[in-house]
């Protein structure tokens, strides 16, 4: 058989989806197995809830596998990580979880490795940048389930009215923002450093300044000279000059910034693929370009991935592996990606999407994915560090803030968490 089998095999899934109800399986002499999966909801309404996606997929799978039942519970991103943790802590781990982070569970020895679940061909189909982020000490525990990158969105109508072209450098970005401000644009550049997703906006800016959360050796370097210079520029040349709008960056969340862009009140902001649908629904004409850098366009965009993982507790590795083969088929990866404006996590689906005219809008994001850099999700400390960044980074660019002091404090937090 093509699947490598080492004892029992369980599944790992990549965007953070997690099985909801724990520990059901063989029992009472029955040959039927029920796999529990807890998953995150990517929909923005009941009409496109992820529960509907999974219900359809499971119905098709169960029709082909009469001895296996899949019990999927979907929770909002606000609740899903907590729900999985509660189940694991209660000794009722689901067979699979699709959530935002896997490292803590892998570090505790609770997860199957990918090669205990999937064949070599299936593992090789994962986009290499995403697969690498799912490894700890060379072993893959987290399998990418959904992915995204970031580009600079700009309002074409506002740019045309001001006679502007999309910026390729920070200097040009600031000049464009000055012109938009002079035209009365409410948010020349929307800088969401509020607690919702400040770690993502921050990382994109750090990358564009030649820095990042970690150095080339994978060690935290949050207070590097490059990062301090980046935040000083943001503080002095954007925020300090009133180019980021009426809401202080530390109080502006991503959802509010996206809504303002869709309302036509934002000249520029960093966005991911879902912003396309939000803006188009409101009739906003927009363009997308790589994030400007200090001297030119940024080489590395920020990438984001959610993860699928499989817990060892219930011992259903073989059944989980078979199910994940189905989940990660080209057809199903494409269906999920198109439903939620996300990027495929497999090379086969990415190739199909790149060549299909119906996915033309996603092509700039697909192009950026292979060279993207993900947050250090392989570190068990990342959850604590990310939370600290969300809480404190906005204050660094406030009028009385000190980028160097804030970044130093975050570096100490990271070192302590390590």
């Amino acid at each position: 058989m093509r699947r490598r089998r080492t004892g029992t095999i369980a599944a790992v899934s990549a965007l953070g989806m997690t099985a909801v109800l724990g520990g059901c399986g063989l029992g009472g002499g029955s040959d039927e197995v029920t796999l529990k999966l807890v998953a995150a909801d990517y929909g923005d309404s009941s009409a496109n809830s992820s529960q509907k996606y999974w219900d359809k997929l499971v119905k098709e799978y169960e029709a082909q596998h009469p001895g296996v039942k899949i019990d999927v519970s979907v929770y909002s991103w606000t609740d899903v990580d907590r729900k999985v943790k509660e189940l694991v802590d209660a000794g009722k781990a689901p067979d699979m979880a699709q959530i935002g982070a896997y490292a803590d569970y892998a570090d505790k020895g609770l997860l199957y490795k990918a090669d205990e679940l999937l064949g070599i061909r299936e593992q090789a189909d994962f986009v290499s940048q995403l697969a690498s982020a799912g490894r700890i000490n060379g072993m893959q525990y987290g399998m990418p389930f959904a992915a995204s990158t970031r580009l600079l969105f700009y309002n074409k109508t506002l740019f045309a009215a001001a006679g502007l072209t999309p910026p390729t450098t920070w200097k040009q970005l600031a000049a464009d923002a000055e012109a938009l401000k002079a035209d009365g644009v409410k948010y020349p550049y929307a800088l969401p450093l509020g607690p919702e997703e400040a770690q993502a906006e921050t990382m994109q800016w750090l990358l564009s300044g030649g820095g990042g959360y970690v150095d080339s050796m994978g060690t935290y370097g949050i207070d590097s000279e490059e990062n301090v210079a980046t935040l000083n520029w943001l503080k002095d040349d954007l925020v300090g000059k009133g180019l980021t709008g009426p809401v202080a960056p530390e109080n502006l969340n991503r959802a509010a910034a996206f809504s303002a862009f869709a309302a036509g009140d934002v000249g520029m902001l960093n966005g991911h693929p879902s912003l396309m649908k939000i803006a188009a629904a409101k009739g906003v004409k927009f363009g997308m370009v790589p994030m400007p850098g200090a001297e030119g366009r940024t080489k590395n965009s920020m990438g984001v991935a959610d993860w699928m993982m499989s817990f060892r507790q219930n011992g259903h590795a073989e059944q989980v592996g078979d199910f994940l083969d189905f989940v990660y088929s080209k057809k199903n990866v494409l269906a999920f990606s198109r439903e939620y404006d996300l990027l495929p996590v497999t090379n086969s689906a990415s190739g199909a999407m790149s060549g299909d005219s119906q996915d033309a809008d996603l092509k700039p994001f697909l192009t950026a994915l292979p060279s993207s850099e993900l947050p250090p999700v392989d570190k068990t400390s990342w959850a604590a560090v990310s939370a600290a960044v969300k809480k404190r980074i906005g204050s660094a660019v406030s009028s009385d803030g000190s980028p160097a002091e804030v970044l130093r404090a975050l570096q100490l937090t990271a070192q302590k968490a390590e």
Side-chain angles (χ1 to χ4, degrees), residues 150 192-194 196-197 252-260 269-270 272 274:
R150 301 296 167 94
L193 294 180
E196 180 188 1
E197 206 191 28
L252 182 65
N253 281 323
R254 184 196 66 187
F258 279 18
S259 293
L269 85 169
N270 280 318
H272 51 62
S274 68

Side-chain angles (χ1 to χ4, degrees), residues 15 17 42 50 52-62 64-65 70 125-126 144-146 308 321-346 348-350 352-353:
L15 260 203
M17 164 182 284
Y42 291 86
S50 291
K52 289 189 174 182
Y53 170 82
W54 285 108
D55 287 349
K56 181 180 179 182
L57 183 147
V58 165
K59 183 178 181 180
E60 183 178 349
Y61 180 80
E62 290 180 347
Q64 301 171 17
H65 300 79
I70 312 293
D125 197 28
F126 287 126
F145 182 76
M308 181 72 81
D322 287 335
F323 177 63
L324 289 182
D325 275 352
F326 184 73
V327 169
Y328 284 107
S329 67
K330 182 170 72 173
K331 181 191 75 169
N332 287 326
V333 171
L334 279 172
F336 180 85
S337 301
R338 286 168 173 160
E339 177 66 30
Y340 300 108
D341 289 319
L342 292 164
L343 303 183
V345 297
T346 60
S348 57
S350 292
M353 185 174 277

Side-chain angles (χ1 to χ4, degrees), residues 372-397:
S372 65
E373 182 173 326
L374 276 71
V377 293
D378 58 327
K379 293 180 177 289
T380 58
S381 58
W382 174 239
V385 174
S386 176
V389 171
K390 290 180 181 181
K391 184 177 181 180
R392 300 203 55 187
I393 201 68
S395 66
V397 299

Side-chain angles (χ1 to χ4, degrees), residues 52-265:
K52 289 189 174 182
Y53 170 82
W54 285 108
D55 287 349
K56 181 180 179 182
L57 183 147
V58 165
K59 183 178 181 180
E60 183 178 349
Y61 180 80
E62 290 180 347
Q64 301 171 17
H65 300 79
V68 179
K69 296 294 182 183
I70 312 293
D71 184 349
V72 182
S73 297
V74 172
Y75 293 89
S76 71
W77 276 106
T78 305
D79 299 324
V80 68
D81 290 302
R82 174 183 55 80
K83 184 63 180 178
V84 173
K85 184 178 185 301
E86 289 174 352
L87 289 168
V88 173
D89 290 347
K92 298 179 180 179
D95 295 283
M96 294 166 281
Q98 186 265 303
I99 49 179
Y102 67 88
D104 279 350
Y105 297 122
D107 186 60
K108 295 174 183 175
L110 301 178
L111 302 180
Y112 284 102
K113 297 191 291 289
D115 64 7
E116 295 178 283
L117 304 167
L118 303 177
I120 293 174
R121 183 176 62 185
E122 287 75 22
Q123 293 178 69
D125 197 28
F126 287 126
V127 174
S128 61
Q129 288 289 95
L130 305 178
S132 295
R135 298 187 186 115
I136 296 178
N137 297 324
M139 299 292 182
Q140 184 152 10
Y141 294 93
M143 290 187 286
F145 182 76
S148 180
T149 54
R150 301 296 167 94
L151 294 173
L152 182 75
F153 282 66
Y154 65 96
N155 184 309
K156 285 186 173 182
T157 303
L158 298 179
F159 265 62
L164 303 175
T165 56
T168 59
T169 66
W170 288 355
K171 184 177 180 179
Q172 291 170 358
L173 186 149
D176 285 354
E178 288 275 13
L180 292 167
K181 180 183 179 182
D183 271 5
V185 176
K186 191 173 182 180
Y187 294 90
Y189 179 89
L191 184 67
L193 294 180
E196 180 188 1
E197 206 191 28
Q199 86 289 355
E201 179 75 13
T202 299
M203 182 172 174
Q204 183 61 75
W205 277 100
L206 298 184
L207 289 173
S208 71
Y213 289 123
V214 297
D215 60 25
S216 59
M217 302 298 292
T219 302
Y220 281 115
I222 299 175
D223 59 347
S224 69
E225 291 182 9
E226 294 85 356
N227 291 346
V228 173
T230 294
L231 289 194
N232 276 328
W233 187 87
L234 280 174
K235 179 177 185 288
D236 298 337
D237 290 65
L238 276 190
V239 181
K241 293 182 179 179
L243 302 178
T244 54
V247 179
E250 61 190 301
N251 297 323
L252 182 65
N253 281 323
R254 184 196 66 187
F258 279 18
S259 293
F261 187 82
D265 293 332

